[in-house]
Amino acid sequence: MTIGNLALISLDSGKEFARRTCEELNKIYSSEQKDDQLALTPSDEVHFSNGEVKVMINNSLRDKDVYIFQLIEDPHSPKSINDNIMALSTAIDACFYCDAKRITAVIPQYPYARQDKKRGREGITAKVVGKMFENTGADRVITLDIHSEAIEGFFNKLKIENLHCGRYFVQYIKNNLNVNNLTIVAPDVGSAKRGLYYSSKLETNLAIIEKVRDYHKVSTIDTMRLVGDVKGRDVFINDDMLATGGTLLSACRLLKDQGARDIYITVSLPFFNKQAYIKFDKAYKNGLFKQVIGTDAVMWGDYFLKSYPWYKEISVAPLFAQVISSLNMEKSVSKLLE
Ligand code: R5P
């Protein structure tokens, strides 16, 4: 059996994640005894001296089911989020003109997802970027733990597959921590639903932090209050993203003040903006937390992993590979989206 007209393309910032996903897809296909070996379709991301970008595809995509990989926020690239969004849009457009049958953007980090609603005279930027992908010809976006599920309903044609890495974190906790002495903590009210997921999967209790932000200042927390009891308990905090780290470090301090023992953090998108890993390293050395477990949806690389032993990376490439393989073979994906 041949691989169903599948083509994988990677932009510069998505290359390692695309390589890992391709490897996982080949494992799926070899277990299904298919002979073909999937490889990335060659392409070039061309940057002009004034900052403009275009993407050139070097093989035919006629009638192909195309998946374009991009990690929009790349800590090792001088390119900005906006540069990478623009590169992705030009790649989608190139695939459209190549007569691809279906175009999917594989972006584990959905950009601008925090601005899913407006307060006063603002725009809804989560909609703006999705519309841009939709208008250039994307049929679908595959992403990870999107900050607000409401975004999935913003579009008329663009479908969003929102994957969850909770199953990997649950497995890791079951294998590595003493679940009997564990309390799950949701670091803000918005993450209570995810907290309930973990508390039901791990059969342990849940506490919630009420976080009040000052929205007049960027990334500023006003107050935090714990609802629940963590005294003498190990704690597991999950958040969808770590940006400046203010939320998680403040949560750790509050939990320690309330008598928590060891604190473990899991986060789907560990951005560590503004070198927040330096603050985390210091906090770790001061005994504030035991471990941060993130995913390769933000690709930090070997040097980072060796430099910060408190950080553990779990790969979500197998999950993306399963979803891509199912979509490509027109099989149901609902079980994979749980
Ligand atoms: C907020 O609603 C999010 O779930 C994260 O808690 C937040 O974006 C993290 O930002 P920071 O690390 O800057 O506190």
Side-chain angles (χ1 to χ4, degrees):
M1 224 169 133
T2 54
I3 299 165
N5 240 358
L6 186 58
L8 308 182
I9 290 172
S10 181
L11 295 162
D12 288 353
S13 288
K15 289 232 182 307
E16 176 56 18
F17 190 74
R19 189 196 64 72
R20 292 182 188 187
T21 309
C22 185
E23 198 174 290
E24 295 298 327
L25 276 161
N26 278 324
K27 283 186 203 161
I28 296 173
Y29 294 132
S30 69
S31 72
E32 289 175 10
Q33 280 145 16
K34 294 183 185 163
D35 298 332
D36 304 17
Q37 275 283 311
L38 193 62
L40 296 187
T41 299
S43 62
D44 291 305
E45 188 179 314
V46 181
H47 291 267
F48 297 96
S49 53
N50 66 353
E52 290 176 358
V53 61
K54 72 171 178 182
V55 172
M56 295 162 71
I57 316 286
N58 300 328
N59 277 357
S60 167
L61 292 180
R62 183 163 306 283
D63 235 13
K64 298 269 187 192
D65 184 17
V66 180
Y67 294 80
I68 309 169
F69 288 76
Q70 176 75 306
L71 297 190
I72 305 266
E73 195 168 331
D74 174 0
H76 297 300
S77 166
K79 284 175 226 143
S80 69
I81 290 176
N82 294 343
D83 290 338
N84 279 339
I85 289 173
M86 195 60 205
L88 176 60
S89 296
T90 71
I92 293 169
D93 194 45
C95 295
F96 171 77
Y97 283 115
C98 287
D99 269 345
K101 185 177 75 183
R102 188 167 63 178
I103 304 168
T104 299
V106 183
I107 44 170
Q109 319 150 357
Y110 187 102
Y112 288 90
R114 273 176 294 202
Q115 287 82 41
D116 64 310
K117 52 185 169 307
K118 64 186 190 71
R119 291 184 180 81
R121 298 182 190 92
E122 308 177 324
I124 303 176
T125 46
K127 186 192 75 179
V128 173
V129 292
K131 282 276 176 204
M132 196 161 151
F133 303 146
E134 185 176 54
N135 291 338
T136 38
D139 299 289
R140 193 185 300 267
V141 160
I142 308 179
T143 193
L144 184 72
D145 285 321
I146 198 164
H147 181 65
S148 160
E149 290 177 352
I151 299 167
E152 294 172 42
F154 284 2
F155 312 104
N156 293 330
K157 294 193 194 120
L158 187 75
K159 293 173 194 147
I160 307 235
E161 308 297 352
N162 180 30
L163 315 190
H164 303 291
C165 55
R167 68 191 71 193
Y168 293 109
F169 291 151
V170 166
Q171 203 49 52
Y172 182 84
I173 289 160
K174 281 187 176 164
N175 293 344
N176 294 283
L177 311 187
N178 173 11
V179 179
N180 294 328
N181 191 43
L182 197 65
T183 293
I184 314 297
V185 173
D188 52 33
V189 175
S191 58
K193 190 173 155 209
R194 276 196 315 273
L196 277 169
Y197 166 86
Y198 288 104
S199 117
S200 105
K201 292 284 173 197
L202 295 164
E203 297 177 10
T204 185
N205 54 338
L206 172 69
I208 297 174
I209 292 176
E210 185 201 29
K211 172 175 85 175
V212 180
R213 272 205 191 276
D214 179 350
Y215 282 101
H216 293 99
K217 300 178 201 145
V218 176
S219 301
T220 306
I221 299 167
D222 256 1
T223 53
M224 275 190 156
R225 184 174 68 100
L226 180 70
V227 182
D229 186 16
V230 294
K231 195 158 192 273
R233 305 279 294 170
D234 293 335
V235 165
F236 160 64
I237 318 178
N238 171 264
D239 210 349
D240 59 336
M241 71 172 87
L242 188 166
T244 63
T247 300
L248 288 169
L249 288 178
S250 305
C252 288
R253 281 185 214 107
L254 173 67
L255 294 166
K256 281 288 186 190
D257 287 348
Q258 301 279 329
R261 278 186 2 176
D262 293 344
I263 300 180
Y264 298 84
I265 297 166
T266 58
V267 58
S268 313
L269 302 174
F271 293 120
F272 291 106
N273 292 147
K274 297 190 172 170
Q275 301 187 312
Y277 44 83
I278 296 173
K279 286 190 287 186
F280 275 77
D281 197 43
K282 205 166 152 204
Y284 169 73
K285 287 175 178 151
N286 288 331
L288 197 60
F289 67 89
K290 279 275 173 199
Q291 199 166 38
V292 177
I293 302 133
T295 75
D296 57 358
V298 183
M299 197 63 73
W300 280 101
D302 290 345
Y303 181 75
F304 184 91
L305 298 182
K306 279 193 200 114
S307 306
Y308 300 113
W310 46 264
Y311 180 72
K312 158 101 189 141
E313 180 186 274
I314 292 178
S315 179
V316 287
L319 179 60
F320 278 75
Q322 284 172 55
V323 170
I324 290 170
S325 142
S326 298
L327 289 170
N328 176 248
M329 303 304 281
E330 315 286 350
K331 287 187 195 158
S332 165
V333 290
S334 29
K335 274 266 165 254
L336 297 169
L337 300 180
E338 283 170 5

